[in-house]
Amino acid sequence: SDAAFARKFCVIKHSHQTIAMATITSNEELETVNKIIHKFNQQMKDELHDANPCGNPEGHLKFHFQGLNTLNSEDPRKCKVLFTKPSSQSDSWTLKILQNYYEKFITEFQDIGIPTEGSRNDLLFHVTLINNRPLGNDRNSFIEASNIVEDFRDFDFGYVVNPGFELVSRVRY
């Protein structure tokens, strides 16, 4: 049923691109992470505005998304995550900027002792569309998405303008 389907998924209010994971265990750490986000948002806006003041006065990143993918090339008949990636129509310069900020976030979090996932060198740039990864111990929770992947394999999601970074919780409410 639809209600059973909805209960299996984390509620994410907006589609998002995960730049860096951080395990925040106190209000002090939360305040510190928010300051880092604010600092990097300002740096990015200044950088983008300085590079193209007439074409990007707000200093926003813009990406074109197309296609549907499964995480780690999972079988769509038994997968946990569906996502879209930037198409070749996205400017490679803006993708490099995002990679740079990924590295900055990881370094900053590690330098101040905030636990983060830093084993990857490259950002897996994507927007999560469906996430069925369990938050508990249920490792056998999958979705059958072969029809979705077949119907939307080359779907054009269009352009997304990103005004900056924000903190998103992965906790069920």
Side-chain angles (χ1 to χ4, degrees):
S1 76
D2 288 341
F5 179 79
R7 280 194 306 274
K8 292 178 74 175
F9 293 91
C10 297
V11 175
I12 298 172
K13 292 184 181 179
H14 306 285
S15 291
H16 68 283
Q17 160 65 55
T18 301
I19 300 297
M21 300 278 286
T23 303
I24 301 169
T25 60
S26 70
N27 284 332
E28 182 179 290
E29 288 179 349
L30 178 61
E31 187 176 316
T32 300
V33 168
N34 278 321
K35 286 179 182 176
I36 292 168
I37 292 169
H38 178 74
K39 175 178 77 172
F40 286 161
N41 275 333
Q42 193 56 53
Q43 284 178 10
M44 185 181 69
K45 286 179 187 300
D46 294 345
E47 186 177 341
L48 292 170
H49 180 267
D50 291 348
N52 189 1
C54 296
N56 195 354
E58 295 86 19
H60 294 168
L61 293 170
K62 182 178 178 182
F63 304 99
H64 180 261
F65 289 92
Q66 184 170 0
L68 197 58
N69 302 277
T70 59
L71 197 58
N72 300 323
S73 301
E74 292 174 313
D75 183 344
R77 293 171 295 178
K78 192 176 181 183
C79 67
K80 293 184 182 280
V81 176
L82 291 176
F83 65 93
T84 184
K85 297 188 299 189
S87 73
S88 59
Q89 295 178 40
S90 291
D91 181 11
S92 64
W93 184 76
T94 56
L95 295 172
K96 287 178 186 173
I97 288 174
L98 207 55
Q99 173 66 34
N100 182 41
Y101 278 95
Y102 163 73
E103 294 166 9
K104 285 182 177 187
F105 272 108
I106 296 297
T107 299
E108 188 102 10
F109 290 162
Q110 289 175 339
D111 286 351
I112 61 172
I114 302 266
T116 186
E117 202 285 313
S119 62
R120 290 182 294 134
N121 291 328
D122 294 321
L123 172 68
L124 173 58
F125 188 48
H126 69 285
V127 172
T128 302
L129 301 170
I130 297 177
N131 184 349
N132 193 33
R133 288 187 299 185
L135 291 175
N137 294 325
D138 184 9
R139 303 252 182 249
N140 297 316
S141 182
F142 300 99
I143 56 173
E144 206 297 353
S146 55
N147 288 339
I148 297 170
V149 171
E150 183 65 31
D151 291 346
F152 296 99
R153 180 178 314 279
D154 296 317
F155 186 79
D156 186 342
F157 291 94
Y159 284 91
V160 174
V161 175
N162 183 340
F165 306 110
E166 62 182 44
L167 188 61
V168 177
S169 174
R170 191 167 175 244
V171 175
R172 252 183 238 260
Y173 293 103

